[in-house]
Amino acid sequence: MPSHTSHPSPVPATAGYRSLLRTREFAGLYVGFTLTVAASTLSGFALGTLVHERTHSPFLTAVSMYGATFAAVLGALTLMSIADGHRPRRTLVTLQCLALTGVAAQAIPGLPLAARFGLLLMLGFFQSLGTGTRMGLLAEIVPAASYATARSLMNITSGGMAILGYAVGAALLRYLSPHGVFLVAAVLTGIALVVVAATVREHSIRLTRRPGLRQTWTTNVELFSHPGRRALLLNLWVPNGLIVGCEALFISYAPDHAGALLAAGSAGMLLGDLIVGRLLTAERRRRYAFALRLLLAAPYLLFAFHPPVLMVTAAVFVAGAGFAATLPLQEQLLELTPDPVRGQVQGVESAGRMTWQGVGAAIAGGIAQHLTPAVTITTIAAVSVAVTVTSSPFVTRAHAHTDRVKGGGA
């Protein structure tokens, strides 16, 4: 056992944002996450722009922006148990190194599109494993009472970095080629690697069996055998993924305003996470979860009427706040998860969400090959609303089961 394994967390039991950020280890994990999101946003926007310029295909453009999420399911099904492995810090640093290599390779001029999509899948695989490992470390670094606050801060940051990433990406593409933007993303990925390596300690996480394919499958079977967890995962994955499919059509819908639309959605997500994660109690978060899931999709129905760009931008901003519904659902999932597999379950949740973003982008892009982007966005949003309404009774039952678990019932 290395001498730098974890010690009791200095984070207060009910820490706010400032208290969390004053903790060196959480701050390092947070900064590394922030830079990774910024790099991912820049590289996705650059690749989407490059593919659109070469192919003018809504399907390929949508898949190029979110295609990395398809590979996330491979991580969830094969090696996600490493998130609860013996040395998660070393695992995270290794995955960051691999991600750096992949992003840097995208910057090679003249690289065939087939190779770029191959790199995209590889990066998605590494990203899914990295997310599970990072969330496993987060659950060790912060007390359970501060977990929602920490996830809220990370979600807010994700939205904020997406806003900056799309805005900066659009600005950089006026002066740089997409390959130059890939280089900027590689630099950010490298800095994230250094920050994590310098600040995060090794934690000996809950390992009871050797990580690998068998352990991953065993835990996943147990995860999906629980009806409450199944309902929560469905609502964490499908409505969000379909709306990301709508966002994937922004370049095809309004090429000159796509950056503004994407930034508006991210700004709405930031505001929603700030309000829901910081200002609402756990009980109110749970109470408003259904309304937030409806808010996520309903404004996109306005696309059927071809409103002015400013109205569309406002609708996308309002809808973005609905992404905050993930916070109460994630809290309940954590409460229904045994401690020894928290990293893997959170990794599976994240990987499934990422995969459904890719599925949503592929569905939307495929439909847009035959219908207009506006009609496609409206249709996909309507399906998202239908899924939310239909699955609501099952989520209510999951709420009841969570209350029984917290109350010590069966």
Side-chain angles (χ1 to χ4, degrees):
M1 183 75 65
S3 60
H4 55 292
T5 49
S6 63
H7 302 286
S9 173
V11 181
T14 56
Y17 292 157
R18 291 184 180 179
S19 296
L20 287 169
L21 291 173
R22 282 197 292 266
T23 305
R24 182 174 183 269
E25 197 170 11
F26 173 81
L29 196 68
Y30 169 77
V31 170
F33 167 78
T34 301
L35 294 171
T36 298
V37 172
S40 177
T41 303
L42 281 177
S43 59
F45 193 66
L47 185 58
T49 301
L50 188 151
V51 171
H52 179 71
E53 291 175 351
R54 290 192 186 181
T55 67
H56 299 286
S57 167
F59 175 75
L60 291 178
T61 300
V63 170
S64 67
M65 290 187 69
Y66 297 100
T69 60
F70 284 119
V73 71
L74 298 178
L77 294 176
T78 57
L79 297 177
M80 190 59 74
S81 57
I82 69 172
D84 295 302
H86 186 54
R87 304 191 67 181
R89 174 191 174 276
R90 182 174 62 181
T91 300
L92 183 58
V93 169
T94 300
L95 292 168
Q96 287 279 121
C97 289
L98 295 172
L100 173 59
T101 302
V103 175
Q106 288 280 26
I108 299 174
L111 197 66
L113 286 183
R116 293 192 183 279
F117 279 106
L119 285 170
L120 197 66
L121 293 175
M122 180 188 73
L123 288 170
F125 181 78
F126 295 147
Q127 183 179 355
S128 70
L129 299 179
T131 298
T133 305
R134 184 180 290 109
M135 292 303 104
L137 281 166
L138 178 66
E140 294 293 313
I141 291 171
V142 304
S146 297
Y147 177 81
T149 303
R151 286 300 296 262
S152 169
L153 180 57
M154 286 187 159
N155 289 348
I156 290 170
T157 301
S158 179
M161 285 299 101
I163 295 170
L164 290 176
Y166 291 130
V168 171
L172 288 176
L173 286 171
R174 296 185 179 184
Y175 305 99
L176 301 175
S177 68
H179 308 98
V181 178
F182 281 128
L183 282 176
V184 174
V187 171
L188 293 177
T189 304
I191 296 173
L193 167 63
V194 172
V195 169
V196 170
T199 58
V200 178
R201 297 195 306 265
E202 193 62 270
H203 287 254
S204 182
I205 294 181
R206 306 169 307 274
L207 183 65
T208 56
R209 285 168 287 182
R210 183 176 181 179
L213 181 60
R214 178 179 296 181
Q215 177 64 20
T216 299
W217 272 97
T218 299
T219 301
N220 285 346
V221 169
E222 294 174 356
L223 169 63
F224 287 102
S225 66
H226 190 289
R229 289 195 289 260
R230 283 201 307 268
L232 292 171
L233 290 172
L234 171 69
N235 277 266
L236 281 160
W237 293 349
V238 181
N240 290 19
L242 292 173
I243 296 308
V244 169
C246 295
E247 294 178 342
L249 294 179
F250 286 166
I251 290 178
S252 301
Y253 175 80
D256 295 335
H257 302 286
L261 291 173
L262 290 165
S266 299
M269 181 172 67
L270 186 155
L271 179 63
D273 281 321
L274 176 62
I275 293 173
V276 174
R278 193 71 183 101
L279 303 182
L280 299 184
T281 63
E283 179 58 34
R284 287 189 175 182
R285 283 196 292 270
R286 185 177 303 183
R287 189 185 309 162
Y288 297 144
F290 177 72
L292 286 168
R293 293 200 301 278
L294 289 181
L295 181 65
L296 176 65
Y300 281 92
L301 300 177
L302 290 174
F303 278 77
F305 304 101
H306 302 280
V309 172
L310 284 178
M311 186 177 295
V312 169
T313 304
V316 170
F317 171 78
V318 172
F323 280 110
T326 59
L327 281 173
L329 297 176
Q330 286 169 340
E331 281 184 292
Q332 292 174 71
L333 182 64
L334 188 67
E335 290 170 355
L336 292 176
T337 300
D339 286 352
V341 293
R342 286 186 300 184
Q344 180 174 339
V345 170
Q346 290 177 92
V348 169
E349 180 272 316
S350 178
R353 200 153 26 91
M354 292 168 61
T355 299
W356 263 97
Q357 290 174 8
V359 170
I363 291 173
I367 295 175
Q369 294 285 105
H370 307 285
L371 303 176
T372 65
V375 172
T376 302
I377 289 171
T378 305
T379 302
I380 296 297
V383 174
S384 180
V385 170
V387 170
T388 293
V389 172
T390 303
S391 62
S392 179
F394 301 99
V395 177
T396 301
R397 293 174 192 169
H399 291 342
H401 189 86
T402 301
D403 290 337
R404 288 197 300 272
V405 170
K406 293 173 69 175

